[in-house]
């Protein structure tokens, strides 16, 4: 079975010594890429700074740009039909475009979930993007949390996968519940600032810490408030979180009342907002603002859908309240997909082993859902500190994580053999991790202690 698959790889970018790349070098990289045929730079609408390059590819866009930090370069590929095409496009783009340009600027990227040498804390490493300036302003309202201060160095791989509308919520609920398992199996950022940290995944630690310490991010990062009874409840829960930002003619605005939720904005019909320069303006709520409320919501598995913009705000709200969300989705929701957001940047083989694993689970979602039914959201949330500290030695729902992983592996393998979304042989790198009870985090720690930071960086270079 072929499904459309998009891949976004956020890659820690370093100089020849393995230190976080500086802004000048990354700007030079974008300039070099822009000289390639079909590419052009684009700038942040708020700051005017060049933050990436784009090129039209078929029905989509290839984008190479900054993520939260300028020392993280994101390579976002348009969707491809099926596993083989997605894998081929990813390797081709990396080998023929990104790596040669990086090399010409004496830069490289790492198969690691954060910057292993540089403590990328706060504003000093922030990309010059209005969206992330707003993010930092909200985060700094409750400062002093180490992991959540390190956002500019976070990196990840994200899989965007077409899923039938009827399966969207079971997929979302099941994979969110499985978060501790994915952490134990795939964590890789235990080395940060040249030291072994007390957690195995800086990215997941940052998500959970920020959500637990800052009301603005509560219930929208990693773990939602609850698992969802249906798509309508997913949409309502997203709209129940504070407005992150809205856009008018390219200008970003945030509400004067920081706690204003999208649902409250929609119910009132208008609210007071302020732009990046401090100018105040009364804005009317639009269907585009409801769409933004769905975008600025980041559970471990996010549903991406397009609202029908021919509808009014009142019509969208009424349909969702009546349990008919598909009636106000573009194209009846047939272009809805899920974003699997758990995983840090991975090596080449493990990137596609993870993609195959997830496709196997999706092709066997009923069995996967049945297996992980004991993993309530509260259980998964509570298990994360133990998994972060002990990896494979942690337990969940009364059994070792490794025992759950063996059953989950069998579910994925069965799904692949039945649905043929990817060759079952692609699972071997993760089968080896399961047999050896290792993950990339334990590899990094062992290398650092045995060979030192320089050797670790060399092993991580892609």
């Amino acid at each position: 079975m072929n499904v459309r698959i998009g891949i976004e790889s956020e890659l820690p970018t370093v100089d020849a010594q393995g230190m976080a790349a500086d802004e000048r070098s990354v700007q030079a990289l974008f300039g070099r890429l822009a000289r390639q045929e079909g590419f052009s730079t684009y700038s942040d609408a708020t700051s005017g700074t060049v933050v990436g390059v784009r090129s039209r590819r078929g029905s989509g866009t290839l984008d190479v740009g900054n993520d939260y930090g300028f020392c993280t370069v994101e390579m976002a590929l348009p969707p491809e039909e099926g596993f083989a095409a997605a894998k081929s496009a990813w390797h081709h783009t990396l080998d023929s475009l990104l790596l040669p340009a990086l090399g010409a600027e004496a830069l490289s990227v790492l198969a690691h979930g954060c910057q292993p040498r540089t403590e990328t804390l706060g504003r000093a490493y922030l990309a010059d993007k209005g969206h992330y300036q707003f993010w930092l302003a909200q985060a700094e309202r409750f400062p002093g949390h180490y992991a959540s201060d390190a956002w500019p160095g976070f990196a990840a791989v994200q899989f965007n996968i077409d899923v039938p509308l009827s399966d969207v919520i079971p997929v979302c609920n099941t994979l969110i519940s499985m978060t501790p398992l994915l952490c134990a199996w795939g964590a890789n950022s235990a080395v940060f600032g040249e030291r072994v940290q007390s957690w195995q995944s800086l990215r997941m630690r940052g998500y959970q810490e920020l959500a637990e310490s800052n009301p603005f991010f509560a219930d929208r990062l990693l773990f939602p408030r609850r698992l969802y009874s249906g798509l309508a409840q997913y949409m309502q829960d997203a709209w129940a979180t504070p407005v992150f930002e809205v856009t008018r003619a390219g200008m970003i605005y945030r509400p004067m009342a920081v706690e204003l939720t999208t649902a409250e904005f929609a119910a009132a019909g208008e609210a007071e907002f302020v732009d990046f320069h401090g100018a105040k303006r009364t804005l009317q709520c639009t269907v585009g603002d409801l769409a933004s409320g769905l975008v600025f919501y980041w559970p471990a598995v996010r549903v991406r859908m397009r609202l029908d913009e021919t509808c009014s705000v009142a019509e969208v709200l009424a349909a969702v309240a009546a349990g008919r969300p598909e009636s106000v989705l573009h194209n009846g929701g047939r272009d809805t997909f899920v974003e699997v957001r758990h995983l840090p940047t991975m090596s080449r083989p493990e990137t596609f082993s993870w993609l195959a694993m997830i496709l196997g689970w999706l092709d066997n979602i009923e069995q996967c859902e049945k297996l992980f039914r004991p993993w309530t959201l509260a259980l998964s949330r509570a298990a994360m500190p133990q998994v972060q500290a002990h990896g494979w030695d942690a337990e969940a729902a009364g059994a070792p994580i490794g025992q759950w992983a063996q059953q989950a592996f069998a579910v994925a393998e069965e799904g692949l053999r039945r649905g043929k979304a990817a060759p079952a042989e692609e699972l071997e790198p993760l089968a080896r991790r399961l047999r050896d009870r290792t993950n990339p985090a334990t590899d990094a720690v062992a290398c650092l202690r045995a060979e030192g930071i320089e050797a670790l960086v060399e092993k991580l270079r892609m």
Side-chain angles (χ1 to χ4, degrees):
M1 181 188 71
N2 269 0
V3 295
R4 285 170 59 79
I5 300 166
I7 303 175
E8 300 177 26
S9 292
E10 299 167 13
L11 302 160
T13 306
V14 299
D15 63 18
Q17 287 72 47
M19 306 302 293
D22 60 34
E23 193 168 14
R24 180 200 59 80
S25 298
V26 175
Q27 287 286 310
L29 169 69
F30 295 151
R32 181 174 293 276
L33 289 170
R35 295 194 289 273
Q36 298 280 332
E37 183 178 357
F39 282 86
S40 59
T41 60
Y42 63 92
S43 301
D44 181 71
T46 301
S47 68
T49 300
V50 172
V51 290
V53 298
R54 291 178 178 142
S55 175
R56 291 292 300 174
R57 297 290 170 96
S59 60
T61 302
L62 170 62
D63 187 312
V64 179
N66 281 136
D67 195 61
Y68 188 94
F70 58 73
C71 55
T72 301
V73 170
E74 181 175 39
M75 183 178 77
L77 279 68
E80 300 285 348
E81 291 288 341
F83 177 90
K87 180 179 180 180
S88 176
W90 188 90
H91 282 292
H92 177 75
T93 304
L94 194 66
D95 291 332
S96 67
L97 177 73
L98 187 56
L99 292 185
L102 285 160
E105 299 297 335
L107 299 173
S108 55
V109 291
L110 306 182
H112 195 57
C114 67
Q115 288 282 346
R117 295 207 71 169
T118 309
E119 289 185 296
T120 50
L121 300 178
R123 194 171 298 276
Y125 290 89
L126 190 70
D128 194 9
K129 301 171 78 169
H131 168 74
Y132 291 125
Q133 296 287 345
F134 281 157
W135 178 293
L136 185 63
Q138 296 294 357
E140 287 182 337
R141 292 173 61 220
F142 298 86
H145 293 270
Y146 181 81
S148 50
D149 285 345
W151 282 92
F154 286 15
V157 60
Q158 175 178 304
F159 301 122
N160 305 327
I161 305 172
D162 278 356
V163 171
L165 199 58
S166 59
D167 286 346
V168 161
I169 293 305
V171 165
C172 199
N173 285 341
T174 303
L175 293 184
I176 287 172
S177 297
M178 292 169 65
T179 296
L181 177 73
L182 273 73
C183 185
W185 215 332
N188 78 355
S189 46
V191 177
F192 180 61
E194 303 193 4
R195 300 190 305 279
V196 176
Q197 302 297 335
S198 59
W199 52 79
Q200 293 202 352
S201 174
L202 182 62
R203 181 181 180 88
M204 287 197 187
R205 171 66 178 263
Y207 276 151
Q208 193 164 11
E209 194 172 83
L210 194 56
E212 291 175 353
S213 66
N214 189 317
F216 185 83
F217 294 97
D219 300 327
R220 79 196 304 169
L221 278 177
L222 193 63
F223 290 113
R225 179 164 69 94
R226 57 187 172 185
L227 297 180
Y228 310 106
S229 61
L231 186 60
Q233 190 178 81
Y234 175 100
M235 298 166 78
Q236 290 169 330
D237 283 4
W239 291 333
T241 61
V243 173
F244 193 88
E245 65 186 45
V246 300
T247 304
R248 298 291 187 274
M251 178 66 71
I252 296 174
Y253 293 85
R254 56 180 171 176
M256 294 290 293
V258 175
E259 294 81 12
L260 179 74
T261 68
T262 300
E264 290 167 344
F265 181 30
E270 65 179 32
E272 296 298 311
F273 284 76
V274 60
D275 70 15
F276 191 76
H277 306 291
K280 297 177 184 177
R281 181 179 172 187
T282 301
L283 298 179
Q284 309 296 314
C285 185
T286 69
V287 172
D289 298 329
L290 295 179
S292 292
L294 299 175
V295 170
F296 298 123
Y297 181 62
W298 301 278
V301 180
R302 177 167 62 170
V303 181
R304 293 302 301 270
M305 63 195 105
R306 289 177 60 192
L307 296 177
D308 182 350
E309 296 195 2
T310 67
C311 296
S312 67
V313 169
E315 287 170 336
V316 171
L317 295 178
V320 172
R324 296 182 290 101
E326 65 283 348
S327 69
V328 290
L329 295 182
H330 175 78
N331 198 25
R334 285 183 287 276
D335 46 8
T336 299
F337 62 94
V338 297
E339 295 176 349
V340 182
R341 303 169 45 83
H342 301 70
L343 297 168
T345 301
M346 289 287 173
S347 67
R348 292 176 186 251
E350 290 194 24
T351 292
F352 291 95
S353 193
W354 272 113
L355 178 55
M357 180 79 77
I358 290 163
L359 291 173
W361 288 333
L362 299 191
D363 266 352
N364 203 3
I365 192 60
E366 290 184 4
Q367 194 62 32
C368 197
E369 186 180 20
K370 180 180 177 182
L371 172 62
F372 285 95
R373 195 163 292 142
W375 287 38
T376 65
L377 188 63
L379 181 148
S380 294
R381 194 192 302 266
M384 282 300 290
Q386 186 184 12
V387 171
Q388 286 275 24
H390 304 294
W392 285 110
D393 292 331
E395 291 191 358
I401 286 282
Q403 184 174 314
W404 290 103
Q406 287 173 336
Q407 297 177 79
F409 186 92
V411 168
E413 192 171 40
E414 179 186 351
L416 291 182
R417 297 201 186 283
R418 189 174 63 207
K420 302 189 183 305
E425 294 73 26
E426 292 280 354
L427 296 175
E428 177 52 32
L430 292 180
R432 187 165 56 251
R433 292 285 186 200
L434 178 56
R435 289 193 298 269
D436 298 343
R437 296 297 194 267
T438 63
N439 61 32
T442 59
D443 289 355
V445 170
C447 180
L448 178 70
R449 288 174 171 164
E451 304 177 54
I453 189 65
E454 290 83 4
L456 173 61
V457 168
E458 291 310 310
K459 287 187 177 181
L460 293 173
R461 290 187 201 269
M462 297 181 76

